[in-house]
Amino acid sequence: MKKQKHLTGLTMALAATILSASAQDEPASSTLISNAKIFDGVNETLIEGKDILIEGNMISKIAAGIEAPEGATVLDATGKVVMPGLIDMHWHSAFNSLSVPALLNTDQAYHLLVGAKSNEKALLRGFTTVRDMAGNVFSLCKLTDAGVYDGPRIFPSGPAISQTSGHSDFRPPTAVPIDPGAPLSYAERIGHFVVADGVPDVLLRTREALRMGSTQIKIMSGGGVSSNYDPLDVTQYTIEETEAAVAAAADWNTYVCTHVFTDEAAQRAVKAGVLSIEHGHLLTEPTLRLMKEKGAFLSMQPILDDEDAIPFPEGSENRRKFVQVTEGTDRVYRLAKEIGVKTVFGTDALFDPGLALKQGKFVAKLGRWYSPVEALRQATSTAGELLAMSGPRSPYPKGPLGVVKEGAYADLIVVNGNPLEDLNLVGDAEENFAVIMKDGKVYKNTLEP
């Protein structure tokens, strides 16, 4: 009898969970944003004299003089600007607020619980979508979509795939020579990172990541800053290995992005069909022109060796590599803009909860190289264009992201001021964002009733 009662209780709990998740699909109450000036994510000229009607989680109508449906919430945006929710295209939900020792000495549950809290804060900074660029955050994606946790939409890459000695080979120095029969490291077993050598192994690990639910694939094509065994100048993955990952992703109607800084490594990746170059701070004009020709995106971070630098220990090799990378930031942004490479915004905040809090400030830093509208496109419409490359692997197939238009997801920010005139407004969400809405739900509202 006790066993039967236990099973009955378990069944009821599971049913409640399913009902709770299903409730997220029910249409939310309608919301009307009236008297808005609208930055649609694309055009520099604000749309004036129109209201925005949100029904459920979608923008259903943008027009003048919309009558509020019965029972609708009305938000008066007089004197304010409505813009798309911000998108961080290089985010690490599981890692951004953990120190390296904490990451290496705690389990996956710890990583994701800290990550859930970090993502909640990101949402309240106006980031309604993130592309997660390494780590098993699939459960966090599902629980966020189900409303268990508040946070941005997540496009998960799953385990970052690296060759032996590559950027995400975090095994200890004593791990070589590799014993093929030895168990995987903990980070590999839980799906944060995985090492794959040779075409068959790259195919296997790519397909596993897609099976797990990756919306795009992340590989490592060159040396890195935070890793210990790969200098920046090294080129990783052969053309055949890279083509294998690209082919496997293409079979699933999605794309590959890669961690890379240098010309040789980036050119090899782009020629193999990689569509998103992550970082790229040491690239030169020929490589950027190749990217333009092939339609590859530059997913770069506005990092400098300033007060917001990633805090690597002074005198360490990681610190030396970080300085070398940041010395190329100015040049690459200016060249990419001149050549017309499609560029998206990301932070790559890592191993420091204080750095993650500056997410909006990093968008504002783009003003060093771009006009406000050019900077904001990187974190809205152009980012949405790259997210759409996930095709049917996208968890959000009903409409576009990063724009304010009819038929788009209702991810919106009401700004106290005009960010097309003052980009620094996005750097202080607490002060300057009056309303933050994701998926038609209001998470912050300081407007007068």
Side-chain angles (χ1 to χ4, degrees), residues 50-74:
K50 294 189 177 182
D51 305 327
I52 304 171
L53 179 62
I54 296 102
E55 295 183 299
N57 62 349
M58 310 297 290
I59 299 172
S60 64
K61 189 175 183 180
I62 300 176
I66 300 175
E67 184 174 343
E70 184 178 351
T73 298
V74 179

Side-chain angles (χ1 to χ4, degrees), residues 51-251:
D51 305 327
I52 304 171
L53 179 62
I54 296 102
E55 295 183 299
N57 62 349
M58 310 297 290
I59 299 172
S60 64
K61 189 175 183 180
I62 300 176
I66 300 175
E67 184 174 343
E70 184 178 351
T73 298
V74 179
L75 302 175
D76 184 356
T78 299
K80 304 182 190 302
V81 171
V82 178
M83 63 173 283
L86 296 167
I87 301 173
D88 190 329
M89 293 295 282
H90 199 113
W91 183 247
H92 292 288
S93 301
F95 312 141
N96 68 71
S97 292
L98 290 174
S99 66
V100 173
L103 176 66
L104 297 179
N105 293 287
T106 53
D107 63 12
Q108 185 189 12
Y110 189 98
H111 305 164
L112 295 189
L113 288 169
V114 172
K117 180 60 67 174
S118 178
N119 275 10
E120 179 183 348
K121 294 175 182 177
L123 178 60
L124 293 178
R125 291 191 290 270
F127 287 86
T128 53
T129 301
V130 295
R131 188 177 61 157
D132 195 285
M133 294 310 292
N136 183 348
V137 296
F138 299 108
S139 292
L140 182 56
C141 299
K142 292 174 183 176
L143 292 171
T144 301
D145 288 342
V148 177
Y149 293 108
D150 292 342
R153 305 171 185 276
I154 302 174
F155 281 71
S157 300
I161 303 170
S162 165
Q163 69 174 48
T164 294
S165 77
H167 180 52
S168 58
D169 181 355
F170 289 112
R171 296 172 296 189
T174 54
V176 291
I178 303 299
D179 176 1
L184 296 174
S185 66
Y186 180 71
E188 292 178 289
R189 294 200 308 274
I190 63 175
H192 279 348
F193 311 104
V194 68
V195 174
D197 293 296
V199 168
D201 211 18
V202 170
L203 281 173
L204 171 64
R205 299 310 186 189
T206 301
R207 289 167 176 164
E208 285 178 343
L210 292 163
R211 184 180 188 270
M212 294 168 76
S214 297
T215 53
Q216 62 284 320
I217 294 297
K218 168 79 174 294
I219 66 171
M220 306 300 191
S221 294
V225 173
S226 58
S227 45
N228 295 325
Y229 310 121
D230 55 339
L232 288 177
D233 63 285
V234 303
T235 300
Q236 299 170 15
Y237 275 140
T238 64
I239 188 75
E240 293 81 9
E241 289 170 317
T242 308
E243 288 174 340
V246 169
D251 284 344

